[in-house]
Amino acid sequence: MIPARANGGSIRMKRNKITVIGAGNVGGTTAQRLAEKELGDVVLLDVYPDVAKGKALDLAESGPVYGYDGQIIGTDRYEEIRDSDIVIITSGLPRKPGMSRDELLSTNAGVVKSVTAQAVKSAPNAILIVVSNPLDAMTYVAYKVSRFPKQRVIGMAGALDSARFRAFIAMELSVSVENIQTLVLGGHGDTMVPLVRYTTVAGVPVADLMPKDRLEAIIQKTRDGGADIVKLLKTGSAYYAPSAAVTEMVEAIVRDKKKILPCAALCQGEYGFHDLFLGVPVKVGGGGVEEILEIKLAPEEMAGLKKSAEAVSELCRAVDKMI
Ligand code: NAD
C-alpha cells in the first residue's frame, strides 16, 4: 500500500489502483486473481464495455463469499483508469489452432499501440505489464509508444514458461511444484531457452534426477505448452497459468518483493543485446524492472539466447514500420 496524505495526525493508506486492459479470458481471470489477493482496486477496461462491466460486477459480488474487499469496476472509458499504479495490457487476439504467436503481429501491434497511447495519458506514472502476443514485440511497441523509462515497461512470458517447466518436472518426479526452481529465458516462442543447469529440485540439479531423454521431452513440452492448450481449447488460448504469472509479477511490484523472475525487459548491453526486449532474469520490485541479472551462461545456452534474440529482432523490425 502507498501512504497517502496525513489525516488528523494518522497516515491514511490508499489502495493501489490496477488497470487490466482487455476483459477477455486472460484479463478477466487476472482481475479475479488480483481481487482475491487484495492487491488493489481493479479497473477492467474493454472496447466492449458491457463485458467489462458484467465481469467486474460478478467479481465484486464474489467478494463477500471469498472474503475480499476493494473496488472493481468495468468500463471502456480511459478517464476511469486515471492515476493507475499498474496497467496490464491483455487486449488483442489470441491464437487459433495451428497458428503461431507471430502471426498475430500486425493485428495486435495496432491494438497495443492504440491502448498504450490512451492509457499513458490517464496513467502517466504507471508500470506497464504487457501480455498480448507476440509478447516481446508487443512489449517493444508499448515501450516505444509510451516513452516510459525502461524500468516501467515489462513483458510477461518467462514467469509463465518457467511455471510450465516447473509443473511438468513436478509431475514427472511426483514432487511438490514448490520444490522446483528454474529460469526460462529468451523470447516467448519456439526459441525460448529453458536453463537446465539452473533448474533444481529442492536444491538438487534436475539432470541428476531423471534420464536425459525424459528431460528433453519435458523441455519440448514446455516449448509446446501454449500450442497444446490452443489445440485442446480450439477457440482460445491459455489463461489460468498466464493470469497466475501476471499476478505473481504484480505482487512482486505492489509488495516491493524484489523477486527474481524471468521477464521481457529492455536489454541495453546486458548479455550483449542492445535495444531489445527479451526474457532475462529481472529483479522485480516497487520500481518495476529494478535490475537485470547477468548470470553466467554456457556457450550453448548463450547460442540459444542469441537465436531467440534474432527471432525477436526480426519481429521488432517489422513492427517498427507499423508504429
Ligand atoms: P480474449 O480474446 O479472450 O480477450 C481479448 C480481449 O481484448 C477481448 O475482450 C477484446 O474485446 C479486447 N480488446 C480487443 N481490442 C481492444 C482494444 N482496442 N481495447 C480494449 N480491449 C480490446 O484473449 P485472451 O485469451 O484474453 O488473450 C489476450 C492476449 O494475451 C492475446 O494476444 C494472447 O495471445 C495473449 N496471451 C499472452 C500470454 C503470454 O504468455 N504473454 C499468455 C496467454 C495469452
Side-chain angles (χ1 to χ4, degrees), residues 65-240:
V65 183
Y66 222 80
Y68 57 78
D69 286 302
Q71 207 185 30
I72 305 162
I73 60 161
T75 186
D76 63 343
R77 295 176 348 112
Y78 280 85
E79 300 92 88
E80 307 244 33
I81 77 162
R82 197 178 317 110
D83 297 331
S84 293
D85 299 292
I86 298 176
V87 173
I88 303 161
I89 300 176
T90 77
S91 47
L93 292 183
R95 284 193 277 175
K96 294 201 170 76
M99 228 179 160
S100 81
R101 294 179 179 94
D102 297 356
E103 287 173 66
L104 301 169
L105 188 80
S106 56
T107 312
N108 284 356
V111 171
V112 172
K113 179 184 173 187
S114 141
V115 303
T116 304
Q118 296 177 83
V120 299
K121 273 192 216 148
S122 290
N125 299 314
I127 291 174
L128 297 179
I129 300 178
V130 181
V131 184
S132 312
N133 273 320
L135 189 274
D136 306 270
M138 293 306 105
T139 311
Y140 172 77
V141 171
Y143 172 69
K144 284 282 174 186
V145 173
S146 67
R147 297 169 186 261
F148 276 8
K150 63 179 181 179
Q151 291 81 1
R152 291 202 277 122
V153 185
I154 326 177
M156 186 293 288
L160 168 64
D161 296 328
S162 300
R164 286 183 172 147
F165 196 30
R166 289 170 68 193
F168 298 143
I169 292 169
M171 286 175 204
E172 176 78 14
L173 296 174
S174 195
V175 297
S176 166
V177 289
E178 290 176 29
N179 282 143
I180 323 282
Q181 289 280 333
T182 191
L183 282 173
V184 178
L185 305 187
H188 185 47
D190 300 337
T191 58
M192 68 179 74
V193 187
L195 293 180
V196 172
R197 273 188 328 121
Y198 290 109
T199 304
T200 57
V201 182
V204 180
V206 70
D208 293 351
L209 297 172
M210 67 174 86
K212 203 164 177 251
D213 60 328
R214 285 308 305 151
L215 193 52
E216 271 162 17
I218 288 176
I219 289 172
Q220 193 52 45
K221 205 166 146 69
T222 303
R223 287 209 170 94
D224 296 339
D228 285 347
I229 291 174
V230 172
K231 229 181 277 168
L232 291 166
L233 295 183
K234 293 180 185 72
T235 55
S237 59
Y239 50 99
Y240 290 118

Side-chain angles (χ1 to χ4, degrees), residues 237-252:
S237 59
Y239 50 99
Y240 290 118
S243 57
V246 175
T247 305
E248 186 179 28
M249 290 169 68
V250 172
E251 188 170 22

Side-chain angles (χ1 to χ4, degrees), residues 255-294:
R255 306 205 196 285
D256 191 26
K257 283 174 84 83
K258 311 206 182 293
K259 193 169 187 176
I260 310 297
L261 291 169
C263 305
L266 185 69
C267 293
Q268 286 181 317
E270 291 90 352
Y271 295 94
F273 302 123
H274 294 275
D275 298 323
L276 187 76
F277 275 89
L278 194 67
V280 286
V282 171
K283 187 194 282 180
V284 184
V289 175
E290 297 198 343
E291 191 185 339
I292 294 177
L293 275 77
E294 283 199 82

